[in-house]
Amino acid sequence: MVGRVGPRRLKNLIGAVATVVLLLGLVGCNLLGAGDSVLPLMKAEGWRDDLGPGPPPFAIVEIAFDRETAERAWVENTPEDLPRRTGAPEEPGIYGDLAQVDFDTQAAVVWSSGESSTCPGWLAGIDVTDQGTVEIQTEDTAGFFGSCTDDFGFYRMVVVVERGRLPKPDELPTEDVVGISSGRVTTYPVDR
């Protein structure tokens, strides 16, 4: 026999279920934040014009190890009309600036890839193994229960990454990349 649930117990049960659903959603959206190794500075729609023609890989990582190259990358990739934004780089915008980069310990990276139109994505992590394999981590807004359309909208980002998480300049270019279907890691600008 099923007993009656009083109003107070029902309210507590509903609150507990809502809390579990919220936590699952936060974990799925990576809003709890553990493990991100990049600091977004900018996100824009499309890839810059000089990355075509020909079929592109799923993603290109271009590393600017010095300030002069990073400034060139910023100018060549950042549209002038982008709005200022904060939070996860779901939408095109300016999330920081090159003044945040300490070129003694960090580098600026241009990430060019694609996202579903229904689940905006971004580069969330990059690291290099002892064997030189570049490991890529992306995030999107799909969340724990979400599903995304299968379209591929090109976008690009400028991010800051610790040098220890990147291959050394003399180990580039490389296509030894995991975490994405195909990719290339090189110094800025890529030689296509």
Side-chain angles (χ1 to χ4, degrees):
M1 179 173 169
V2 177
R4 289 182 51 106
V5 177
R8 175 181 247 178
R9 189 164 185 200
L10 182 59
K11 183 178 176 182
N12 289 342
L13 182 61
I14 291 171
V17 169
T19 300
V20 169
V21 170
L22 177 63
L23 287 174
L24 287 174
L26 289 174
V27 169
C29 291
N30 197 33
L31 296 177
L32 297 179
D36 290 357
S37 64
V38 303
L39 174 66
L41 301 180
M42 182 281 298
K43 181 177 181 182
E45 293 179 344
W47 287 14
R48 66 177 189 279
D49 292 338
D50 68 335
L51 288 183
F58 181 82
I60 299 175
V61 175
E62 300 167 284
I63 306 169
F65 289 100
D66 61 81
R67 181 167 301 282
E68 181 179 331
T69 305
E71 288 172 356
R72 174 183 173 194
W74 182 267
V75 167
E76 293 177 352
N77 286 281
T78 307
E80 293 180 16
D81 60 347
L82 287 178
R84 290 245 169 230
R85 297 193 189 274
T86 60
E90 299 173 17
E91 300 295 327
I94 303 291
Y95 292 84
D97 60 62
L98 288 178
Q100 296 174 257
V101 185
D102 175 359
F103 285 97
D104 291 332
T105 60
Q106 300 172 318
V109 170
V110 178
W111 163 257
S112 300
S113 190
E115 61 190 353
S116 166
S117 62
T118 58
C119 301
W122 60 90
L123 176 66
I126 187 168
D127 211 343
V128 64
T129 67
D130 292 339
Q131 294 75 34
T133 300
V134 179
E135 297 178 334
I136 299 292
Q137 178 189 358
T138 59
E139 296 291 337
D140 61 43
T141 59
F144 189 74
F145 298 107
S147 62
C148 305
T149 56
D150 200 19
D151 57 326
F152 190 78
F154 292 99
Y155 76 96
R156 64 193 182 273
M157 294 179 68
V158 176
V159 301
V160 179
V161 179
E162 296 293 326
R163 284 180 181 253
R165 294 183 173 273
L166 298 168
K168 295 178 179 25
D170 61 352
E171 297 171 352
L172 297 173
T174 183
E175 293 180 8
D176 185 9
V177 181
V178 297
I180 54 175
S181 56
S182 67
R184 184 163 186 210
V185 181
T186 188
T187 54
Y188 189 90
V190 65
D191 181 19
R192 294 216 353 128

